[in-house]
Amino acid sequence: MPAMWTLLEAATEQLSTRRLLRMEGSVTKLVGTAIEATGPRTSLGDLCLVHGGEHACLAEVAGFREDKLLLVPLSEIASIAPGASVTYLQRQLAVACGQGLLGRVLNGLGEPDDGQGAIAGNVTYRPVWGRPVHPLRRRRIEHVLATGVRAIDALLTLGEGQRVGVFAGSGVGKSTLLSMIARGSEADVNVIALVGERGREVREFIERDLGEEGLARSVVIVATSDQPAYIRMKAAFVATAIAEHFRDTGKRVAFMMDSVTRFAMAQREVGLAAGEPPSSRGYTPSVFALLPQLLERTGPGETGAITAFYTVLVEGDDLNDPIADAVRGILDGHVVLSRRLANAGHYPAIDILASISRLFSTVASSDHQRQARLVRHWLSRYQEVEDLLRIGAYRSGTDAEVDIAIEKIAAIRALLEQEADEHTPFAETMARLAALTGGAP
């Protein structure tokens, strides 16, 4: 009798962990990239397989319309016809995390995409969709994170766990600036998401900009512009989940996403396909609801910290674009890249006067703050008379402060300009700033 009870208990345990019913439905409509299907009760974000001939397309439940399910494909749609079978997998997307990710390139779903096989070592699976750390359990941001970029470290100093936006038009040097930070920062791990990137530029960024040194301590997640909108959108969440894993193990993580704008465009495609009404400049309401849910997941945790850099592609260099405006209101500072400076050969083309670090006064010493304010003042005064200087209309001695600014401008530019492969330690940057300002009493 005891043996019978043991067998019964074992069978009951097995039954509780088995799915006894095969969850199936069928396709009723396909419009654009949105698949409408019948099926059992499922949850938002559940995965399914849509069978089309010899191929199956992975899809995710993205919404509901009356008694139908709205599915968004996570792979290429092939040979799908009305009545095609849909199998519900009753699980949500998760990504493998572990030390074996370092030096690897993943696709938008977190799968290895570099031809080097499976992720080595022990891995744990983390849900792609997560919640931000509770505000009261976040550590305060109190320590400087040196980036190796003099313009940032000297005048826009960042703290460990700060989140900043890099705002620029196309071709002004966003990717190059990210690669400089990836190679030169004090972070333990880099997690880099290339969302909606041109296929040609991916290998260039990895091999030329990032290089072997940068890649060795980085994880790169790539979803190129030709891939389905939902994969481009998911790449941002996959990268964020990986960064959260490293943060929760106590690491200092530098998270870089290029770009938030292409993420928003992908979500706009998904929203319009699901029937959402367009609002500001064609962006759907879900775009503005999703942005804080993504951006708030980075930052300090209970142990480690994610210092995040989000690039924002501003149309026509308009910093009041809806996405730029929304992102600027969420993040802890912004770095503006100027086309005027780039055209003049000033790299990195950071417009210091248009940029700000909201935690500068928290992490920088009082001497550092005085020196930085003085340099910004000189830059501002020089900018006021720059046009007059070009036409020879300014006479020396008219304004003593302007005269000092003119005298100092060459040294200021020498501090702020930097080669892409040049890395300056934080102590050296501080020494150069102090020498420039004479100690700023």
Side-chain angles (χ1 to χ4, degrees):
M1 191 70 172
M4 180 65 72
W5 278 111
T6 302
L7 290 173
L8 183 58
E9 289 175 354
T12 303
E13 183 178 352
Q14 289 182 10
L15 285 173
S16 67
T17 60
R18 295 285 195 275
R19 298 189 183 96
L20 301 181
L21 296 177
R22 192 176 181 189
M23 310 284 281
E24 288 194 343
S26 60
V27 172
T28 59
K29 186 187 294 185
L30 172 62
V31 179
T33 58
I35 302 170
E36 194 174 279
T38 60
R41 294 177 64 88
T42 59
S43 300
L44 199 66
D46 281 355
L47 296 177
C48 60
L49 286 175
V50 182
H51 303 277
E54 298 178 356
H55 304 281
C57 166
L58 186 66
E60 185 176 277
V61 178
F64 310 95
R65 181 179 293 146
E66 297 177 352
D67 59 343
K68 301 292 194 304
L69 303 176
L70 298 178
L71 311 177
V72 179
L74 295 176
S75 56
E76 294 298 330
I77 301 175
S79 306
I80 294 178
S85 174
V86 180
T87 303
Y88 297 92
L89 305 180
Q90 293 184 281
R91 62 180 177 84
Q92 298 197 349
L93 190 63
V95 61
C97 297
Q99 284 294 117
L101 286 175
L102 296 181
R104 300 300 302 271
V105 179
L106 313 178
N107 65 16
L109 300 181
E111 301 163 337
D113 201 30
D114 52 9
Q116 298 182 26
I119 304 300
N122 295 326
V123 298
T124 57
Y125 284 87
R126 188 180 186 104
V128 167
W129 179 259
R131 298 185 63 82
V133 178
H134 190 279
L136 298 182
R137 291 202 294 269
R138 290 183 184 268
R139 293 185 299 115
R140 290 185 59 187
I141 299 174
E142 299 175 320
H143 305 290
V144 170
L145 180 84
T147 64
V149 180
R150 291 193 297 268
I152 294 176
D153 291 345
L155 305 181
L156 303 168
T157 314
L158 306 179
E160 289 182 10
Q162 188 169 347
R163 301 162 305 143
V164 295
V166 179
F167 295 77
S170 57
V172 185
K174 298 186 302 299
S175 298
T176 302
L177 178 60
L178 292 186
S179 68
M180 292 172 70
I181 295 170
R183 292 194 307 270
S185 79
E186 294 179 340
D188 302 315
V189 177
N190 299 316
V191 178
I192 304 170
L194 304 178
V195 178
E197 193 64 82
R198 303 175 186 87
R200 172 187 62 82
E201 295 181 339
V202 172
R203 188 168 181 179
E204 291 179 5
F205 175 81
I206 293 171
E207 296 182 358
R208 183 193 64 194
D209 296 336
L210 195 57
E212 291 185 10
E213 177 188 355
L215 183 59
R217 62 188 184 114
S218 303
V219 186
V220 182
I221 298 89
V222 179
T224 52
S225 59
D226 61 301
Q227 293 184 310
Y230 218 61
I231 293 183
R232 282 178 271 142
M233 191 189 75
K234 281 295 177 185
F237 289 102
V238 166
T240 303
I242 292 172
E244 288 172 326
H245 166 78
F246 285 111
R247 177 187 63 191
D248 293 346
T249 61
K251 302 287 188 184
R252 294 178 301 172
V253 182
F255 178 81
M256 303 169 204
M257 178 174 160
D258 186 11
S259 69
V260 174
T261 307
R262 295 192 182 107
F263 165 83
M265 289 177 174
Q267 175 57 26
R268 177 173 63 185
E269 289 183 42
V270 172
L272 291 173
E276 281 190 78
S279 55
S280 181
R281 290 204 189 176
Y283 288 104
T284 57
S286 64
V287 172
F288 300 100
L290 208 56
L291 280 174
Q293 295 179 35
L294 174 68
L295 304 182
E296 285 287 351
R297 286 174 60 181
T298 55
E302 296 182 59
T303 53
I306 302 173
T307 307
F309 301 85
Y310 296 96
T311 70
V312 181
L313 185 64
V314 290
E315 298 179 10
D317 297 336
D318 178 14
L319 294 176
N320 293 317
D321 159 89
I323 299 302
D325 198 44
V327 170
R328 193 165 53 242
I330 297 169
L331 300 182
D332 308 316
H334 51 272
V335 176
V336 177
L337 300 188
S338 163
R339 191 173 300 278
R340 177 181 61 84
L341 291 175
N343 290 341
H346 179 119
Y347 287 102
I350 298 174
D351 186 341
I352 296 296
L353 298 180
S355 305
I356 191 170
S357 167
R358 293 180 180 174
L359 291 170
F360 177 77
S361 60
T362 301
V363 298
S365 68
S366 56
D367 286 343
H368 182 182
Q369 292 179 49
R370 285 194 296 271
Q371 293 161 7
R373 281 197 297 267
L374 187 55
V375 172
R376 293 178 76 102
H377 177 69
W378 287 337
L379 280 170
S380 176
R381 295 311 305 271
Y382 180 82
Q383 197 173 84
E384 290 172 5
V385 300
E386 190 172 10
D387 291 338
L388 295 177
L389 288 169
R390 286 200 181 100
I391 63 175
Y394 178 78
R395 181 176 299 175
S396 179
T398 304
D399 188 315
E401 287 189 347
V402 170
D403 291 343
I404 295 174
I406 294 171
E407 178 189 343
K408 293 284 188 179
I409 193 64
I412 293 173
R413 286 172 175 164
L415 174 69
L416 301 182
E417 292 184 42
Q418 190 171 343
E419 296 294 331
D421 58 354
E422 183 183 359
H423 163 242
T424 305
F426 188 75
E428 181 181 334
T429 298
M430 292 299 98
R432 292 182 62 165
L433 179 63
L436 172 63
T437 59

